Amino acid sequence: MSGGSRREFATGIDISRALRFRFNNRSYVGHPGDTLASALLANGVQLLARSFKYHRPRGILAAGAEEPNAIVQLGTGEAAEPNLKATEIELFDGLVARSVNCWPSPSFDLRSAYQLAAPLMGAGFYYKTFMWPDWHLFEGPIRRAAGLGIAPQDPDPDRYIHKYAACDVLVVGGGPAGLASAWEAAEAGLDVILAEIDFRLGGSSLWRGERNEAERLEAALRAHANVRVLTRTNVFGYYDHNALVAVEKLDGEGARQRLWKFRAKRVVLATGAIERPLVFANNDRPGVMLASAAQSYLRRWGILHGRQIVVFTNNNSAYEAATSFVEAGADVTIIDVRPRAKIPDIAAVRVLPGHVVKAVVGRRAANGVTIGALDGGQTFTLQCDLVLMSGGWSPTVHLFSQSGGSLRFDEATQSFIPNRAVQAVECVGAAAGELSGLDIEPLWEVPGPGPKFVDFANDVTAKDIGLAREHSFISVEHLKRYTTLGMGIDQGKTSNVNGLAIMGELTARAPGDVGTTKFRPPYTPVTFGALAGPLVGDLYRPVRYLPAHDWHAAHGAVFEEYGGWARPTAYPFPGETWEQAAQREAATARKGCVLLDASPLGKIEVVGKDAGTFLDRIYVGNASSLKVGSARYGLMLNENGIIIDDGVFVRLREDRYLVHTTSSGADRIAAMFDEWLQCEWTGLDVAILPTTTQWATLTVSGPDASEVIRETGTDIDLDDFPHMTFREGSVAQLSARVLRASFTGEASYEISVEASNATQLVGALERAGRPLLLMPMGIEALMILRTEKGFLHVGVDTDGTTLPGDVGMAGPIARKASDFIGRRSLLRQEALREDRLQLVGLQSHKGVLPVGAQVLRDRSVPGPSDGFVTSSYHSPTLDGPVALGLVRAGRSRIGERVKLYDMGEHHSAEIVDTVFFDKAGERLRA
Amino acid sequence: MRSNYLFPESARFYEHSLRLYERLGRELDFNIMFSQRGMLTLAHSRHDLESQRRWANAMRLNGVDSELLDTDEVAELVPALDCSPSARLPVMGGFIQKRGGTVRHDAVAWGYARAADALGVDIIQNCEVTGFELSSGGAHTVKTTRGTIGADRIGLATAGHTTTLADMLGFRLPMTSYALQAFVSEPLKPVLDTVVLSPACGVYVSQSDKGELVVGGGLDLYASYAQRGNLPTVEQTLRGLLTLFPSFSRLRMLRQWAGIVDVVADSTPVLGRSPIPNVFLNCGWGTGGFKAIPAGGWCFAHTIAKNEAHPLTAAFGLDRFARGALIDEAAASGIAH
């Protein structure tokens, strides 16, 4: 098909070039500058959608973001976009689109039978039906019938980016008022950003034909050094402190959309106004259109899609559209509800004052209207092929209202206009209610029978508003929720004011007393991907890699994420599972020597003359009494006495400590330190230096550990280096910090070097350890070893209810004189109960207990729980199961046998001490 | 709607609520559209799997249904979810309560309002409480923007603004108000058949009967009474959502809203007596009060009428903070409220 005959005066298209596109499996031609809507209209496609609820045939109502009917699915496969308005799609060559929510096509839709049921499906009918025998019986078919477009099934192939911009003045809207405001500000030397949702600047000048001034200003602004012009940019949110957010559609190879975050000293809203439909029977038929939209299609896109035109209005603005159509050669009749005295004197246009359109004739297209006097009497039918309507204008106050500004109802224009601003914002042009000469007479609903649509997107009729009134849902917020008025895909842009005004008439309230619902972002729907930006998928909280990651990978490591780090779980040999590898590695640690990458272990330096005092308040134990060069294990609590982290801390110097946290606690604990220092203990002379990622830490552990260090080459005297002390020196000719502490139960050396030297150190250790059969060890084996030793793993063997006494660590508290975080809470009634969950060992005699299995109090399920298994492994050293668990009053029940339950299976175990191996702790001191 | 709680105190109460919800529509003669599509909580690590196992076992001990799913079962239930091993948030398994689901929230409010009205309750709308007159016996006069109301007993059920009323009454609550946001996509043909929660990224999503994806995330991270909601929270929630569901990226956000929630340290409600003898508290619901409405109302009515806690909410009194008897589901096992 051809692109349709276009009028040569079209201001918005390049008629010399053709763009081919497909819609509902048929090929069409349009031109650069077309929207999908204009191209379809030019090709004579009027019926292109079915309505949301009743599947009534629908055409195009509007020409912009307010369109409620013409919803399409753009593209196919992974790049499909459901639910776009045909009026907001800029035509491109090769475009493919189809109608949504109708099958097989909008002209023949199998669900169109829903129209017959319409009398039963009024507002709120769901609430009154489908209860017997059960809602679930009806829900499936209702779900399948609901919804519009179809979500793509594959990942989005496109990218989205975010950008920040600050300016003196942000002008939203590139129509005449916006262009003038931008120019004025730019000329005053201010830094200006002008954002326009359309792909063309000009706003109303594009359809009102006043192009000269707009074109002059556009050219001047584009050339102005102070001005940045953004088209295709939808400013959709207005937040506190003049922070606004917009989404820009991009062309070409790069990202698909850009999210702009503006911070403007001043905001000018030149967002125009949206024309309102009139509410009369069958006003939703294809071929019924807003007068200004028809004028747009005629002037901007050169489409005369009707020859016999009826214009129905209650104000002067539609006369401009009428004149345009007369000039273009159409036959025009104006039906004006106002009395003759108010009618403007326009030659060549037939006007019927004091009359209304009662109903539209025709199902799939308007082919006539029934006309009558407002006050009743005879009606008659007039043939036509296009019905234009104008019920007045609603200034686009969405962003102003989002900014916190209040609105008031203006009698002269019968619209809500900006009242009082609370941020540095002003509205200009039609957005400010400058709708001079409208001379409007309110007509919210034409009396008479028939389905009179208020909200086209959600199929809400005037009768539904009446039902809401009958059911006492008269508040504007109730009206919205009960009828779904304004909750459709167009967000009520053409329906909200009509709806609330009709409710006002039914309840004897002026529209201003009914008020509007709250305006919230987004002004029009915004792509999830654009809001999320680039930090999705692999960039979502990006995994951190060990400084010697490649070395581990080369040694066969299987990686898993632990606390945000990719760490080796185990290093399986060919033919070995990772579980088998972990058993082998754990056994090696007890017999020979292993190498563990402990770099993610949290390292925070606490510096200052009050560092000891500070840490005394942080730890359950004492810090200030620690000798320089020595280390101590400590627990940290929150104010409720709950254990939140643990680790070994070292006194580096009189005024400098090195605090080790768990790897997942590194960021959290550093932030907590800062909060206490900045908010509570402002008098302390302490600075916090999180240094975790500056260091690579390799732990050598096992009976042969000191031999490996010696072989590696060190100037540290290993013969005078006891457990829980710290040395600085060189290891493998690298400047190193070495700590003797142990989480394996074996003699261990934690060697920290500059992160960039990680691979060098690990290589040197590997070479030195080769004769001793040194082996890399992963996290799983470490967990086996520490469970054998009964060493606590915070967050695994404790939860958000565990106090120090519950894990047998209340000892230091009695000896400590000074206060610390959580101390008070340890004296509360609940903390002193004797039946608290306590950490104990659980000895199974038949296989490994499942972690999460519950200890039964009286052998019944359901029934009371007496605790649960927290850690459980097969011990290669003991050749049997070892487990830890939190058990009610567990320490007083050592030796007792208990029953456990796990997802339908039963187990049994004996409550034992937490330490399964080397109870005296001789090995780690070796 | 769900009762997947760890501690017996919570489980008993929320299970009672779920059972009341299951018959509420018929009781009120108002279809609340209780859609028991199941509530799936994802596990993204082996530690998550272990926590879920503890939780699922505890639920069974509490007499509540629970099932653990492996990755394939999750993938079958939620085809749109990225269950590939290379996913940034790999799905290692999940935990489902099949009786869980969603309810049409307005219908609950309206059904109750109509039923209460029929029983003779006066519901006065657009009526702001501005103060109380206190005497030695308590507060017996409520001052409002529409006049003064005398009352023998007063119940506070004002969610995020409970602290405002407590200020008027002269006592402090261990409670902070935050904005909680949620948003919906445009309506789509069915693409998600169950409620999905990922505690790792704090995102939940379901699809309404109208076809909109309903998405929620964490709190705005500062105290506020302003019901606006900020953009960074929306961005962060969507980052999590799209990491879980990469095919949702081209869908569009249609509506957003924010409400003020009253958060206490252990995320368990405060239901019982206040420091003033004839004033009763029903607050501290935080982000999770909706699922508790029938049971909360049931127990609150008991408390007000009998001046003592209902057995189901005996552990929810304000005194638990002084005793240290917190019921902290989230801290115990990462269970969201």
Side-chain angles (χ1 to χ4, degrees), chain A residues 4 73 145 171 524 550 711:
Chain A
Q73 178 115 359
V171 180
T524 68
D550 292 346
E711 284 299 312

Side-chain angles (χ1 to χ4, degrees), chain A residues 83 101 127 133 139 143 149 156 158 240 261 487 520 526 528-529 540-541 560-561 828 902-903, chain B residues 26 31 35 46 53 57 88 104 187 189 200-201 209 227-228 235 249-251 253 255-256 321:
Chain A
N83 301 338
N101 199 31
Y127 302 120
E139 196 186 9
R143 279 175 87 84
D156 190 344
D158 285 317
D240 290 349
K261 296 175 187 182
M487 296 177 80
R520 288 186 172 281
V526 178
F528 279 170
Y540 179 74
R541 294 190 204 143
E560 259 182 78
E561 189 190 334
R828 290 190 295 193
D902 176 62
M903 300 310 285
Chain B
R26 290 189 290 258
N31 187 357
S35 176
R46 279 192 283 133
R53 208 168 182 94
N57 280 321
R88 173 63 191 92
R104 172 90 181 99
K189 290 297 173 194
C201 53
D209 287 340
Q227 294 174 304
R228 291 191 289 275
E235 293 175 341
S249 171
R250 298 174 89 83
L251 310 181
M253 178 169 96
R255 276 195 308 281
Q256 166 272 2
F321 297 99

